[in-house]
Amino acid sequence: MLHAIAVDVDIPDVSNALSSYLLDLPSKIREAEAASRRRGKILLEVVAKEAAQDKVPLTTHVIAAPPALMGDVAAEQCRYFDLSLVGLAADNPTARMTAEAILFGAGRPTLLFPEATDVGVLDHVVIAWDGSRVAARAVADARPFLERAARITVISVTDEKPLPGKDIGERLAEGLRVRGLTVESSSIRAGDRSIGAALQEHAVKIGGKLLVMGGYGHSRVRDFVLGGATEGVLADLRLPVLLSH
C-alpha cells in the first residue's frame, strides 16, 4: 500500500500598503502558491500513473503549510506509515529541509532517492556499520529490503572514528547469515574524503543499489549537529539511502 502526500506552500500575507504598492506582494504570494499547487498536482498524477501500471494500491492527500513548517508538517504525516520515501534534489534548500525534518521528526525510517535517477531493483544492499545504536536501528528498519536482497555487503570505515572492536562488520554479517541471508563484510578507509562521500563511493563501486545507515543528529538544532556521514549524504546524494534515527 502506497500513500502519497503533496505539501503545498501556504504563505502568510504580511504585506502592508507600501509593499503592496511597490512590490505587488499579494500577487506574488498568489503566484507562488499557485505554482506550488500545480507542481504538487503533477507529482501526484505521476505517482498515480506509476502505481496503476504496477497495480500498487494508492491513496493520496494534499495538505498546505507555511514555508518554514513544510518539513515538520510532512514529518507529522509520515508517523502514520512504515517508511517514508523522499526525493532529494541537489541544490534545493526546501527539499533538504523537508528531508531533514522527516528524518529526525517522523520516528520512521526514511528512504532518500536522488532526483532524476533511474533506481532499478534494490537487490544489493550495503550496510554502513559502526556498531552504534542508530546503525543497529537502521539495520532493523531495513529488514524488508535485506530479506529480498540477492546480496548484502557490510562495510565499516576504520579511519573516521574509534570503533568498538576490530571485526564488528563480520560479527554483524554472521548474525545476518544465521537468518539465511547472503552477506559479506569489508572495511574501507575514508582518507581525505568525507565519510558520506567515502561510503557512497564505495557502495557505488561495488554495485550497491541501496545504502543503509544510521542518521546522526538532533532534531531541534539539526542544522548545527548533523553527524558527518548524515551531512555528507544529504549534501550530495548519489544512490538510494535508507536513514534511520
Side-chain angles (χ1 to χ4, degrees):
M1 180 70 180
L2 182 64
H3 184 74
I5 300 173
V7 185
D8 295 336
V9 67
D10 181 13
I11 304 174
D13 185 359
V14 294
S15 60
N16 53 37
L18 181 60
S19 64
S20 298
Y21 176 75
L22 296 177
L23 303 175
D24 193 14
L25 193 57
S27 177
K28 288 181 169 57
I29 289 175
R30 289 193 298 270
E31 290 175 2
E33 290 178 339
S36 176
R37 289 193 297 270
R38 286 195 300 270
R39 178 170 173 78
K41 181 181 179 181
I42 291 172
L43 289 173
L44 290 181
E45 289 174 349
V46 171
V47 172
K49 180 180 178 180
E50 294 293 332
Q53 288 179 350
D54 294 328
K55 298 181 180 180
V56 175
L58 171 72
T59 58
T60 61
H61 188 45
V62 178
I63 56 179
L69 297 178
M70 292 179 71
D72 294 328
V73 170
E76 292 174 0
Q77 295 292 319
C78 292
R79 293 170 188 164
Y80 295 92
F81 305 96
D82 295 332
L83 174 71
S84 301
L85 309 179
V86 181
L88 187 58
D91 301 321
N92 186 325
T94 301
R96 167 72 183 262
M97 175 195 71
T98 302
E100 283 189 27
I102 292 174
L103 170 60
F104 296 111
R108 301 285 190 171
T110 303
L111 181 52
L112 300 178
F113 289 98
E115 188 181 64
T117 297
D118 186 5
V119 173
V121 179
L122 306 179
D123 55 355
H124 181 185
V125 179
V126 179
I127 300 173
W129 182 250
D130 61 2
S132 65
R133 179 195 65 79
V134 291
R137 181 70 263 169
V139 173
D141 287 337
R143 183 173 179 177
F145 297 96
L146 298 176
E147 292 176 343
R148 291 168 173 79
R151 179 185 175 192
I152 302 169
T153 303
V154 179
I155 59 174
S156 298
V157 180
T158 59
D159 62 342
E160 190 258 341
K161 63 182 178 182
L163 298 175
K166 293 183 178 180
D167 301 315
I168 59 172
E170 180 58 26
R171 185 175 179 183
L172 176 64
E174 289 177 357
L176 295 174
R177 291 188 195 111
V178 171
R179 304 178 192 174
L181 303 177
T182 302
V183 191
E184 58 187 70
S185 65
S186 63
S187 60
I188 65 171
R189 296 180 64 85
D192 58 358
R193 299 171 295 175
S194 71
I195 182 67
L199 289 169
Q200 292 189 90
E201 286 175 9
H202 187 74
V204 172
K205 179 181 178 181
I206 62 176
K209 302 301 183 182
L210 172 66
L211 176 62
V212 172
M213 56 186 286
Y216 291 89
H218 191 286
S219 60
R220 292 184 180 177
V221 287
R222 54 180 171 263
D223 290 337
F224 302 100
V225 295
L226 279 177
T230 308
E231 167 63 34
V233 166
L234 290 171
D236 183 18
L237 186 66
R238 308 185 188 186
L239 76 163
V241 177
L242 188 148
L243 286 161
S244 186
H245 175 64

